[in-house]
Amino acid sequence: MSTYHAPQFDATVDELETLKKLEMGELVTTPQALKEHLSGRLYERGYIGKNSLDELTITDAGRALIRRQNN
């Protein structure tokens, strides 16, 4: 079964803040993300990923989302 994605994605303030932290090189761990109640939407939509150390990383799509929000 595939996950439904609405045609329009509106990131929450918390999701945008997390993307900005990752872009600035701050480490955001999975437990920290869960504690901050971040949904899996960023991961499901490809805005974040995980590196070989299982740390969250921002993707090019995530950077583009931040740029769109800042304009």
Side-chain angles (χ1 to χ4, degrees):
M1 178 190 296
S2 64
T3 303
Y4 169 76
H5 294 294
Q8 177 67 30
F9 177 81
D10 293 318
T12 66
V13 173
D14 289 339
E15 290 171 333
L16 288 172
E17 185 65 30
T18 298
L19 289 174
K20 289 177 184 180
K21 285 180 183 179
L22 290 169
E23 185 177 37
M24 293 184 332
E26 290 185 37
L27 177 64
V28 177
T29 62
T30 302
Q32 178 184 1
L34 292 173
K35 182 180 176 186
E36 293 174 5
H37 307 291
L38 296 177
S39 70
R41 297 181 336 142
L42 294 176
Y43 189 75
E44 291 170 358
R45 293 263 182 170
Y47 296 123
I48 61 173
K50 290 186 180 181
N51 63 17
S52 62
L53 300 175
D54 210 29
E55 299 168 337
L56 298 176
T57 59
I58 189 169
T59 64
D60 290 338
R63 286 185 186 87
L65 179 65
I66 293 170
R67 283 194 294 273
R68 282 194 305 267
Q69 296 296 321
N70 287 337
N71 290 330

